[in-house]
Amino acid sequence: MTRNANGAGSIYPWKKAGRQVGWKGAFSYEDETGATKRFSAYGRTQKDVRDKLDKARDRLMDGAPVKDSKQSVGEWLAYWRVTGLAASSRKASTKELYGNLSRKHLEPKPFGAIRLDRLKASDVDALILSLRAKTKASTKSGDPVRALSDSTIFNVYCVLRAGLDGAVRDALIARNVAAKVSRPTVERKEAKYLSSEEVTSLLDAAQGLRYFNVVALIVGSGARRGEALALKWSSVNLETARMKIDGTLSRIEGDLIITEPKTERSRRTLPLSPAMIALLKSQKAKQAAERLRAGNQWTDTGLIFTTEFGTAVDPRNVLRTVQIAAKKAGITGAGVHTLRHSAANGWLESGVHIKAVSDLLGHSSISITGDLYGHTSDDTARKAIDGWSGALGL
């Protein structure tokens, strides 16, 4: 972006009511559209004015606006949310997440009321501190609700930084102050998992529930809930016992939508055990019977797991299935992702190399697998020590 300052400008006495109160300076320049505009600066001394004029010229030479916009942060982010964010190449689920975080945590007062030209790095620090301290009271019981998670605070920061990048691009501000603030840290926590006995009990309790098959497939394959629900019959080869993960289903702005996998490494092919093949065959037979009953009300989506009319399954229904089964089995704190974690832990405890587990889970890096499943059970640790000591004769 090119802007030209025309001439050195001029500095002259600044008068009010016929009396000099300071100095005023001005110069003309061309904006990015080629239109001629005039910049003025005021100060107590000629040096104050000259410094302001020089600073304005430097901004123009750097392709920045001659002065930052007085628009509020909230007003800009609300506009960016429906323009820059909406037009970006981010996944639809990410756009929805970013939009919700902007509306909830960045656009409202007091932070959203700060003017862009007055926003400082310390304001961003204060925002992060306020988010860390934020707790709410339950409207029903009055009990305190857990503060915002580290990952939510991290994402709020990412939204702000992306939004201010858009303001720099649109020449509303010269620089992104959020870039000067360290990214909030996200503490890695080991994943909660169930023992093999608990998983078996939960599956036994889930027998007979409509979405038992998808729960069992998640347990056996370690697939994410959205990945399992996005599976199509065309993605499965029962003859070669392989299943291709190539999409994920989620609810976006009220609609169930299948999008690209979470990362490139999430796009993967998984082997199928004999038990999983039998499960998928039973699912195929069950679906064929439901298709006959539905008649012309059936919607042919090609999905493996569907409603009784062939449409996509709401992910919340799978969660309800797990919760019902867990309660019946007397297991607390179990969710759909707990079953994925349980599969991963089971593989590691049985001696599967962590790189293979990372590939099966579709993690973007092996370090994520190590952070999530870094704990070794007492039995495994004892076997490792005993085995090594025995080899050394100790």
Side-chain angles (χ1 to χ4, degrees):
M1 185 183 302
T2 302
R3 296 179 177 88
N4 298 314
N6 302 322
S10 56
I11 299 177
Y12 45 88
W14 172 29
K15 295 183 179 182
K16 282 188 176 181
R19 170 174 168 276
Q20 183 174 345
V21 294
W23 296 86
K24 177 180 179 180
F27 66 79
S28 299
Y29 67 96
E30 290 181 2
D31 66 11
E32 67 274 10
T33 67
T36 299
K37 293 191 175 180
R38 189 170 178 81
F39 172 76
S40 299
Y42 301 84
R44 283 181 168 275
T45 66
Q46 293 186 60
K47 183 180 183 304
D48 289 340
V49 176
R50 189 176 295 110
D51 288 345
K52 290 179 181 180
L53 295 178
D54 289 343
K55 183 178 180 181
R57 289 193 191 88
D58 289 343
R59 289 167 65 105
L60 289 171
M61 291 297 292
D62 290 339
V66 68
K67 57 183 177 180
D68 290 339
S69 170
K70 294 182 180 181
Q71 186 178 18
S72 74
V73 172
E75 289 171 339
W76 163 250
L77 289 176
Y79 175 75
W80 168 80
R81 175 164 43 83
V82 297
T83 54
L85 177 61
S88 72
S89 59
R90 295 176 178 87
K91 287 183 61 176
S93 56
T94 302
K95 291 178 184 179
E96 183 178 38
L97 171 65
Y98 277 23
N100 289 338
L101 291 176
S102 181
R103 277 191 295 265
K104 188 172 183 179
H105 300 293
L106 296 173
E107 295 171 29
K109 298 176 181 178
F111 184 79
I114 301 173
R115 284 175 16 183
L116 287 172
D117 62 339
R118 294 180 177 175
L119 182 66
K120 305 183 297 294
S122 58
D123 293 322
V124 181
D125 287 330
L127 169 71
I128 293 171
L129 288 173
S130 70
L131 293 176
R132 285 175 178 160
K134 185 175 288 187
T135 56
K136 303 176 190 174
S138 169
T139 54
K140 292 183 179 179
S141 65
D143 296 330
V145 179
R146 187 180 63 180
L148 294 176
S149 67
D150 288 348
S151 59
T152 297
I153 295 172
F154 175 82
N155 284 329
V156 171
Y157 167 85
C158 290
V159 175
L160 176 61
R161 186 161 176 171
L164 293 180
D165 276 342
V168 173
R169 186 196 67 175
D170 278 13
L172 295 179
I173 53 177
R175 68 189 193 287
N176 185 343
V177 298
K180 294 186 174 184
V181 177
S182 299
R183 295 176 183 271
T185 56
V186 178
E187 182 182 353
R188 287 282 182 188
K189 296 182 180 179
E190 290 187 8
K192 176 180 171 54
Y193 60 88
L194 306 179
S195 66
S196 58
E197 293 80 7
E198 288 175 319
V199 172
T200 300
S201 296
L202 189 147
L203 288 177
D204 287 343
Q207 288 281 357
L209 298 177
R210 175 171 182 83
Y211 298 113
F212 166 81
N213 283 349
V214 66
V215 170
L217 186 75
I218 291 171
V219 169
S221 67
R224 298 177 178 92
R225 175 177 58 177
E227 293 172 341
L229 293 178
L231 280 171
K232 295 187 176 183
W233 289 111
S234 59
S235 303
V236 173
N237 189 323
L238 299 181
E239 298 299 321
T240 61
R242 303 188 79 77
M243 176 175 73
K244 186 178 180 181
I245 302 292
D246 53 9
T248 183
L249 183 140
S250 54
R251 184 170 289 282
I252 299 172
E253 296 182 355
D255 297 321
L256 292 176
I257 298 174
I258 295 177
T259 59
E260 293 292 310
K262 190 175 182 179
T263 65
E264 188 54 40
R265 279 178 57 83
S266 294
R267 190 187 298 274
R268 62 202 187 279
T269 300
L270 301 177
L272 294 170
S273 68
M276 286 194 284
I277 291 174
L279 180 148
L280 288 170
K281 285 181 177 179
S282 72
Q283 176 65 19
K284 200 163 198 174
K286 174 186 172 184
Q287 192 179 79
E290 289 187 335
R291 184 170 190 157
L292 283 175
R293 285 197 296 271
N296 59 9
Q297 290 185 293
W298 181 266
T299 300
D300 190 5
T301 58
L303 293 170
I304 294 177
F305 302 107
T306 63
T307 66
E308 60 267 43
F309 298 109
T311 55
V313 176
D314 191 319
R316 291 174 296 187
N317 290 334
V318 180
L319 174 59
R320 290 191 191 101
T321 299
V322 173
Q323 290 173 333
I324 291 169
K327 184 176 182 180
K328 185 178 178 182
I331 299 170
T332 59
V336 183
H337 223 56
T338 311
L339 302 181
R340 170 174 158 86
H341 294 325
S342 302
N345 188 72
W347 292 329
L348 291 169
E349 291 292 298
S350 63
V352 178
H353 193 279
I354 191 171
K355 176 63 168 64
V357 174
S358 182
D359 290 342
L360 287 168
L361 296 172
H363 283 161
S364 57
S365 71
I366 195 172
S367 63
I368 293 177
T369 314
D371 288 341
L372 287 173
Y373 311 106
H375 176 72
T376 302
S377 72
D378 291 341
D379 287 344
T380 301
R382 182 167 296 281
K383 287 177 183 178
I385 294 294
D386 289 348
W388 179 238
S389 297
L392 297 175
L394 298 175

